[in-house]
Amino acid sequence: MKKISKDEIATFGENTRLVIGGREPSEYHGFVNPPVYHGSTVLAPTTKDLINHTPRYSYGRRGNPTSDALEEALKTLDGSAGVVLCPSGLSAVSTALLSCLSAGDHLLMVDSTYQPTRQFCDKVLGRFGIETTYYDPLIGAGIETLIRPNTKAVYLEAPGSQSFEMQDVPAIAEVAHRHGATVLLDNTWATPLFFDAFGHGVDLSIQAGTKYIVGHSDAMFGVVSASRKAWPALKSFHGDSGQCVAPDDIYLAMRGLRTMGVRLRQHQESALRVAKWLAKRPEVHRVLHPALEGDPGHAIWKRDFKGSSGLFSIVLQPAPMEAIGAFLDDLKFFGLGYSWGGYESLALPFDCKTYRSATSWDPGGPCVRIHVGLEDVADLIGDLDAGLARFRAARG
Ligand SMILES: *Cc1c(COP(=O)(O)O)cnc(C)c1O
């Protein structure tokens, strides 16, 4: 096989980049995949090499050929200046925030963010003298009114966790940059395949790799990618805070990444079919899915995004908790559990009311988040159909 330069790889389509990024079979005896290096100590040939750090690798925490391969593959995919690997999605969130904030700084955080991100801001950043103000996800350029002289970062997540509000990323990024603030985005839902974060003004793009990168519900993983401007601070904080990912988990993330393109296209297609079917059901008050026409976020989604993934929510007609249990407890294919992004379908009842502060959450009925996996759509719809019949009966 001919060796391909990194510059040339950047010109190929995204599925080609997913397949070839970070792989050099000639360096590992022709085997297709990079080997998994387990190791802490790295032996140097001489005292001089040891002291001067001349060898390529110096210590397990600082990287090895396995982590290098995944970093290169991820960089190839999103065109960032650099990426850091973190042991979970939430550690990627905290790493990105701590790389650009210091005591006395002010952070603007979207009200619809992933709830543990919110807890990190309230419980940890607050303790270090960093103040967080939550803002309405629909604020757009109006965010300017919330900017203070010490606002150093603006954090976005689109669509919002559980409630799926879309954000005008370029409008918010433009204001933030004009005031010298770093723009962070949680891009877990769309991945770089469906949303080009850097092309829309983001400086630090976060993914809970646990979801679509790993894709098989068998490992925890996170990644932060940086623009050229944000990269030095991210790289330095990541190294100084001692974060590293175990080599077997890096391998699982890399294995998942290779097929992320086909998986996401199928998640997209199946989720749209299930969502459209649900939208016609009398038991369903609303479907929250930005790729559906009529969704309040549809215009922004259509303008900025290249696709939609397998996660969306439904608002049911008002019903007691027992009716939600009757719907969900006996589903055959939708497991009840946290997280998402694996090959299997999931369902999760939720209520954002208790933790929103800049906006109020009143969707008009009980809510269920649905992750559509890779099962046959006809089977999934049959399962939901039977579940909604149980819901109707229990509602009386
Ligand atoms: C799951 C999730 C995270 C956190 O990822 P973990 O790997 O579970 O720590 C962060 N952001 C979003 C949007 C998520 O869905």
Side-chain angles (χ1 to χ4, degrees):
M1 252 173 110
K2 188 171 179 287
K3 262 201 165 178
I4 313 169
S5 73
K6 285 178 190 168
D7 287 345
E8 194 182 353
I9 289 179
T11 67
F12 298 142
E14 61 197 16
N15 292 290
T16 307
R17 281 180 278 138
L18 278 173
V19 168
I20 67 176
R23 281 200 303 121
E24 286 293 355
S26 63
E27 286 178 18
Y28 12 96
H29 308 283
F31 284 92
V32 168
N33 291 294
V36 180
Y37 280 79
H38 289 101
S40 50
T41 299
V42 181
L43 302 177
T46 68
T47 312
K48 206 169 144 204
D49 287 321
L50 184 70
I51 289 167
N52 295 332
H53 298 286
T54 38
R56 170 73 188 82
Y57 299 103
S58 60
Y59 188 43
R61 176 166 30 78
R62 295 279 181 185
N64 63 38
T66 314
S67 61
D68 276 2
L70 179 57
E71 285 170 13
E72 186 55 37
L74 290 164
K75 246 168 56 178
T76 301
L77 182 63
D78 67 12
S80 57
V83 309
V84 296
L85 312 183
C86 300
S88 69
L90 187 57
S91 70
V93 168
S94 64
T95 298
L97 284 166
L98 289 172
S99 78
C100 63
L101 288 166
S102 306
D105 288 349
H106 175 234
L107 162 69
L108 286 171
M109 170 60 68
V110 65
D111 206 28
S112 51
T113 195
Y114 178 64
Q115 200 197 358
T117 297
R118 194 175 183 108
Q119 274 177 45
F120 176 75
C121 296
D122 295 344
K123 286 163 76 174
V124 182
L125 291 185
R127 208 151 52 75
F128 291 97
I130 298 161
E131 193 188 342
T132 302
T133 301
Y134 293 93
Y135 68 88
D136 183 338
L138 308 182
I139 200 165
I143 196 144
E144 186 134 29
T145 59
L146 299 177
I147 302 257
R148 302 180 192 168
N150 62 339
T151 304
K152 288 288 158 57
V154 179
Y155 188 108
L156 304 90
E157 188 177 325
S161 260
Q162 302 188 322
S163 47
F164 292 89
E165 297 93 339
M166 288 301 294
Q167 291 199 258
D168 192 336
V169 180
I172 293 174
E174 190 278 319
V175 173
H177 285 153
R178 199 151 28 78
H179 291 271
T182 301
V183 176
L184 300 88
L185 170 87
D186 186 328
N187 199 24
T188 301
W189 183 83
T191 82
L193 293 176
F194 290 161
F195 183 65
D196 172 14
F198 299 106
H200 289 86
V202 171
D203 301 302
L204 290 166
S205 172
I206 298 152
Q207 284 179 83
T210 309
K211 312 291 165 55
Y212 284 127
I213 294 175
V214 168
H216 295 71
S217 307
D218 51 6
M220 306 292 299
F221 173 65
V223 54
V224 189
S225 314
S227 63
R228 200 156 298 286
K229 190 183 80 179
W231 172 237
L234 176 68
K235 183 175 169 24
S236 146
F237 176 74
H238 179 266
D240 292 341
S241 57
Q243 307 217 45
C244 59
V245 183
D248 290 320
D249 289 344
I250 292 178
Y251 188 81
L252 287 172
M254 189 154 37
R255 180 199 248 256
L257 186 71
R258 303 296 179 201
T259 59
M260 191 167 78
V262 277
R263 283 188 287 108
L264 266 187
R265 282 198 296 282
Q266 189 60 52
H267 282 295
Q268 161 167 256
E269 184 194 319
S270 300
L272 279 170
R273 282 171 64 194
V274 172
K276 283 177 184 162
W277 180 84
L278 282 164
K280 292 205 187 100
R281 294 291 306 216
E283 302 86 352
V284 176
H285 170 54
R286 269 171 70 198
V287 177
L288 311 176
H289 189 318
L292 291 190
E293 271 173 44
D295 186 274
H298 185 68
I300 287 184
W301 174 82
K302 211 169 158 182
R303 185 191 69 187
D304 294 346
F305 283 56
K306 288 180 279 183
S308 58
S309 59
L311 193 76
F312 65 92
S313 290
I314 56 173
V315 183
L316 292 159
Q317 299 293 355
M321 197 56 208
E322 304 85 74
I324 312 295
F327 173 24
L328 301 180
D329 288 350
D330 286 332
L331 290 172
K332 292 182 195 144
F333 306 119
F334 293 83
L336 304 180
Y338 296 99
S339 202
W340 50 278
Y343 55 84
E344 82 291 7
S345 290
L346 294 168
L348 179 76
F350 70 90
D351 181 5
C352 308
K353 206 173 281 155
T354 54
Y355 50 86
R356 294 282 165 97
S357 60
T359 53
S360 56
W361 172 249
D362 189 9
C367 299
V368 177
R369 189 185 73 183
I370 289 176
H371 182 251
V372 173
L374 303 177
E375 304 89 343
D376 285 305
V377 172
D379 290 330
L380 296 179
I381 286 181
D383 200 19
L384 292 170
D385 194 28
L388 288 173
R390 292 192 298 273
F391 174 78
R392 227 170 31 241
R395 229 178 132 222

